[in-house]
């Protein structure tokens, strides 16, 4: 999401920052460009106007023209306003037991998938879940939820053929009973999709609502519906007490304007983003991080979290120690590379770093890519233990054998060894300079 908007906006800021001294007309011109970028990203006109007006007011108030680094100051003001526009973060807090969440939305918005995602998300947090579907209009829907949630412990409801013949009201009642009987922490209720917001269906929804008395009504909205998504959300929020929004298909949307306008227009916080069809493809919606990503400032927090899932702190400390002491073997190198691929590969990690576009260009120029990383992994795997622990014994015939074994070429094997040597060289230099900690402390001064 936001790729095209983000690249436009970081270009605007790059230009501003390069200028050093800014005149008022420079700032005006930048704001005009930002306004266009917002509109192109499908932000509603009302929101774009208001946004620019707010930024301008703040910018004039702070006298940025006279400040030391005006470009940075404008970036900061825009960042703060983006965070404000996106709203404060609002995690779903299971504040009581059982906590009851009802998912509503138009047909095909992603409710059933989201029900499965939420079930997995909270199961991972050690919560006991009951998931149920009142979608009796589409017989396959209940089955879909069952298949989706197959690997998640928790009752899927309705289960038997008789139960499947129940009315939405009866299912809702049974689901509630089951939740209480099982002493579950959370009930996730998936409902039937509405084709439009019509009264009959809304009545059915209200009826289910009365039975369940949910703690949260989450509106699931497909971001690809563009401006319509906002109108739909607004109408829904007017007829039922929507407490939060989950945007889906965010992975397929390069513009992201809907996410920017949603909070402002509906007044409802965005809770999560659906970023794919798999159950793990759900992200907590964090305004700070998204605003950072939008301005090309990277998403270090996501990166750290991702890394934490794959690396333990102990591992990281061990690696750092090995590197500093110069005993980082080829075996250690392959472990690092494998972990990087588990984290979604270089490309997805890169996207989260500041200046990622420039970094990507550099990597491309140097021929660093996921493909080469995978080939490097294959090369190291084709080495014997002895070779991995002491690369110096890798003579011509050994290199030839490794190339053959890994389906690569001798040149590639040579390149990898060179790369390893230069990494080791770098670490030795770091050690000579007093270790990483020392260097960082010098740089910080
Ligand atoms: N790419 C992508 N696809 C998604 C996402 N969420 C859901 N989908 C897909 O969208 C389609 C519809 O999702 P469902 O979960 O069945 O939608 P629904 O709202 O339950 O649909 P109805 O029950 O018919 O109203 C499925 O093919 C999902 O795999 C997402 O975040 N990203
Ligand atoms: Mg469904």
């Amino acid at each position: 999401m936001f790729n095209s908007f983000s690249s436009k906006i970081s270009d605007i800021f790059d230009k501003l920052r390069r200028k050093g001294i800014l005149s008022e007309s420079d700032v005006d011109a930048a704001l005009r460009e930002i306004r266009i970028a917002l509109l192109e990203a499908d932000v509603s006109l009302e929101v774009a106007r208001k946004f620019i007006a707010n930024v301008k007011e703040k910018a004039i108030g702070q006298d940025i023209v006279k400040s030391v680094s005006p470009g940075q100051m404008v970036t900061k003001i825009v960042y703060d306003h983006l965070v404000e526009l996106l709203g404060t973060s609002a995690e779903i807090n299971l504040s009581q037991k059982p906590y009851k969440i009802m998912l509503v939305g138009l047909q095909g918005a992603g409710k059933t998938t989201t029900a499965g995602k939420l079930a997995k998300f909270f199961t991972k947090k050690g919560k006991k879940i009951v998931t149920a579907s009142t979608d009796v209009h589409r017989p396959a829907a209940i089955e879909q939820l069952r298949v989706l949630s197959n690997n998640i412990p928790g009752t899927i409801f309705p289960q038997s053929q008789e139960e499947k013949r129940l009315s939405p009201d009866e299912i809702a009642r049974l689901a509630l009973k089951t939740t209480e009987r099982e002493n579950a922490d959370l009930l996730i209720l998936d409902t039937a999709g509405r084709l439009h917001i019509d009264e009959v269906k809304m009545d059915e929804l209200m009826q289910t609502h009365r039975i369940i008395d949910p703690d949260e009504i989450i509106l699931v909205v497909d971001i690809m519906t563009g401006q319509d998504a906002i109108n739909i959300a607004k109408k829904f929020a007017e007829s039922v007490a929507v407490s939060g929004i989950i945007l889906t298909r965010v992975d397929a949307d390069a513009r992201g304007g809907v996410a920017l306008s949603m909070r402002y227009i509906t007044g409802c916080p965005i809770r999560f983003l659906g970023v794919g069809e798999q159950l793990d493809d759900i992200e907590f919606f964090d305004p700070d991080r998204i605003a950072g990503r939008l301005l090309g400032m990277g998403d270090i927090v996501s990166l750290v979290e991702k890394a934490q899932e794959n690396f333990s702190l102990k591992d990281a400390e061990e690696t750092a120690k090995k590197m500093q002491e110069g005993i980082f073997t080829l075996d250690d190198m392959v472990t690092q590379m494998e972990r990087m691929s588990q984290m979604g590969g270089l490309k997805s990690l890169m996207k989260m770093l500041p200046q990622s576009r420039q970094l990507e260009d550099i990597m491309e120029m140097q021929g660093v890519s996921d493909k080469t990383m995978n080939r490097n992994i294959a090369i190291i795997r084709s080495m014997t233990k002895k070779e991995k622990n002491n690369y110096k014994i890798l003579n011509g015939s050994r290199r030839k054998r490794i190339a053959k074994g890994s389906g690569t070429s001798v040149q590639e094997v040579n390149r990898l060894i060179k790369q390893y040597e230069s990494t080791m060289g770098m670490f030795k230099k770091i050690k000579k300079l007093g270790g990483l900690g020392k260097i960082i402390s010098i740089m910080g001064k």
Side-chain angles (χ1 to χ4, degrees):
M1 177 173 60
F2 296 136
N3 291 352
S4 62
F5 177 66
S6 176
S7 65
K8 259 180 224 146
I9 218 124
S10 33
D11 284 348
I12 299 170
F13 285 127
D14 278 351
K15 245 193 304 184
L16 271 186
R17 280 193 286 257
R18 265 201 304 271
K19 277 208 162 136
I21 301 165
L22 292 185
S23 69
E24 221 160 300
S25 67
D26 287 332
V27 178
D28 273 344
L31 288 180
R32 257 197 311 277
E33 283 182 58
I34 295 172
R35 184 166 176 267
I36 294 168
L38 285 168
L39 293 175
E40 280 175 357
D42 209 18
V43 170
S44 73
L45 190 61
E46 183 192 347
V47 174
R49 254 193 210 140
K50 177 101 187 143
F51 183 83
I52 296 298
N54 286 347
V55 172
K56 198 166 181 171
E57 193 185 336
K58 190 77 191 258
I60 290 168
Q62 299 213 349
D63 227 349
I64 43 162
V65 181
K66 290 194 198 122
S67 76
V68 193
S69 57
Q72 244 143 25
M73 196 102 158
V74 181
T75 315
K76 171 81 170 71
I77 295 170
V78 171
Y79 173 83
D80 287 346
H81 279 84
L82 274 176
V83 174
E84 198 183 309
L85 186 65
L86 291 164
T88 45
S89 72
E91 200 162 359
I92 298 179
N93 222 329
L94 307 189
S95 50
Q96 63 198 55
K97 189 176 171 176
Y99 200 75
K100 293 163 285 178
I101 299 177
M102 199 169 137
L103 297 174
V104 301
L106 290 190
Q107 223 164 56
K111 295 175 296 300
T112 307
T113 314
T114 304
K117 286 177 180 178
L118 287 177
K120 185 156 188 200
F121 181 84
F122 285 108
T123 305
K124 273 207 229 158
K125 295 194 164 203
K127 301 294 176 191
K128 190 168 181 200
I129 324 278
V130 170
T131 323
S133 169
T134 60
D135 191 354
V136 292
H137 305 279
R138 206 162 56 85
I142 290 165
E143 187 57 19
Q144 183 192 356
L145 185 59
R146 197 185 62 73
V147 172
L148 262 174
S149 320
N150 213 7
N151 295 322
I152 309 167
T155 319
I156 313 302
F157 202 84
Q159 290 166 319
S160 66
Q161 284 307 317
E162 296 89 81
E163 281 171 350
K164 285 184 189 168
R165 270 183 231 114
L166 300 175
S167 71
D169 287 5
E170 289 164 324
I171 294 174
R173 275 194 203 97
L174 260 173
L176 200 54
K177 244 198 227 154
T178 312
T179 309
E180 278 158 9
R181 194 187 61 227
E182 304 219 335
N183 196 23
D185 299 290
L186 172 66
L187 167 65
I188 301 171
L189 192 74
D190 177 27
T191 61
R194 328 267 118 188
L195 208 49
H196 343 264
I197 306 169
D198 61 66
E199 275 179 23
V200 181
K201 288 275 183 63
M202 276 301 176
D203 279 351
E204 184 190 300
L205 205 63
M206 292 314 290
Q207 182 69 14
T208 312
H209 182 261
R210 270 192 288 275
I211 296 166
I212 294 283
D213 186 23
D215 301 293
E216 294 257 358
I217 302 185
I218 300 279
L219 176 66
V220 179
V221 187
D222 175 0
I223 202 166
M224 298 303 282
T225 343
Q227 285 297 311
D228 275 348
I230 295 167
N231 296 330
I232 295 160
K234 204 171 159 193
K235 273 199 194 148
F236 253 104
E238 280 163 7
S239 30
V240 279
V242 174
S243 60
I245 293 174
I246 295 184
L247 294 174
T248 62
R249 295 225 180 81
V250 172
D251 49 307
D253 179 60
R255 300 188 297 175
V258 171
L260 283 175
S261 316
M262 201 48 116
R263 171 69 190 244
Y264 180 82
I265 305 262
T266 62
C268 296
I270 300 174
R271 305 272 200 218
F272 285 97
L273 302 175
V275 292
E277 295 190 60
Q278 303 305 312
L279 288 192
D280 284 321
D281 297 333
I282 185 162
E283 272 179 19
F284 175 56
F285 183 84
D286 184 342
D288 287 330
R289 272 150 69 169
I290 296 202
R293 227 192 272 182
L294 274 172
L295 298 186
M297 288 153 78
D299 190 354
I300 303 292
V301 186
S302 289
L303 187 66
V304 171
E305 272 177 9
K306 252 195 169 167
Q308 274 171 344
E309 277 176 24
N310 290 283
F311 292 82
S312 73
L313 192 63
K314 201 167 145 264
D315 281 351
E317 278 170 357
E318 245 163 47
T319 308
K321 200 161 160 248
K322 273 183 173 173
M323 285 178 166
Q324 288 191 17
E325 287 170 5
I327 49 170
F328 184 75
T329 64
L330 279 160
D331 229 357
D332 297 322
M333 190 161 166
V334 85
T335 313
Q336 296 301 327
M337 288 196 242
E338 275 165 348
R339 287 201 180 133
M340 291 246 275
S341 358
Q342 278 163 12
M343 285 162 71
L346 285 172
K347 270 250 150 70
S348 89
L349 291 177
M350 294 282 309
K351 285 214 175 73
M352 293 187 233
L353 290 170
Q355 269 85 46
S356 67
R357 280 186 319 122
Q358 289 94 311
L359 273 176
E360 256 177 87
D361 291 345
I362 294 170
M363 284 177 67
E364 217 139 88
M365 264 160 38
Q366 303 207 338
V368 184
S369 68
D370 284 328
K371 206 170 122 210
T372 53
M373 190 164 83
N374 288 335
R375 291 177 83 81
N376 285 341
I377 291 175
I379 292 173
I380 302 179
R381 279 216 189 111
S382 300
M383 294 178 187
T384 63
K385 203 165 170 71
K386 210 167 146 198
E387 288 165 348
K388 280 190 272 195
N389 285 330
N390 182 13
Y391 75 98
K392 291 205 171 115
I393 61 170
L394 289 168
N395 57 19
S397 70
R398 282 178 192 262
R399 289 181 194 214
K400 221 184 245 167
R401 190 206 78 236
I402 292 164
K404 209 164 166 216
S406 56
T408 58
S409 63
V410 174
Q411 285 93 316
E412 280 174 286
V413 177
N414 291 343
R415 196 181 314 137
L416 170 79
I417 294 166
K418 258 218 178 100
Q419 200 184 328
Y420 173 73
E421 270 182 328
S422 78
T423 311
M424 293 309 294
M426 198 171 77
F427 285 122
K428 287 206 178 111
K429 262 185 219 148
I430 289 174
K431 202 182 164 205
K432 253 192 214 151
L433 290 170
L436 273 177
K438 179 97 182 281
I439 294 181
I440 290 167
S441 74
I442 293 170
M443 275 167 27
K445 276 175 192 158

